[in-house]
Amino acid sequence: MALKYLHVMVRVADLEKSQAFYELLGLKETRRYDSEKGRFTLLYLAPPGQEEAELELTHNWDGDEGLPADSRHFGHLCYGVDDIYATCKHLQDNGVLINRPPHDGRMAFVRSPDNVSVEILQNGDALEPAEPWTSLGNTGSW
């Protein structure tokens, strides 16, 4: 099974201040996604020449009063896989709970033994939705 590091996500209360801090460290903006419907911004930064090693800053436009005290500032690790269904089946067969199954053929979430959230993304285009994944409900949080 091929595995590729994609990014680490951190929730931030003030996007501009956080971006300035990480830019002081030498990271540069690689891409940005603003969701009007979801009311959030995803800002990706990486060291020059290491654009594949991104840090995702997630900013909820309506605020997030628990930050940073509730430990939600650290979001998840993210890895890309060649076959999300085979990867989830392998994890499930080895006792890992799939908290957010790949209903859409694109994204799943699991938790480490230490409760670290791990996002698994399908490399390239999403796979066609398939059973049993489309019928499985979400379990817990991710």
Side-chain angles (χ1 to χ4, degrees), residues 11-13 60 62-74:
R11 285 184 181 83
V12 299
N60 294 314
D62 298 324
D64 201 333
E65 297 302 318
L67 293 178
D70 72 354
S71 298
R72 289 187 64 244
H73 58 282
F74 175 78

Side-chain angles (χ1 to χ4, degrees), residues 54-68:
E54 290 181 311
L55 169 64
E56 172 191 322
L57 301 182
T58 296
H59 177 254
N60 294 314
W61 299 353
D62 298 324
D64 201 333
E65 297 302 318
L67 293 178

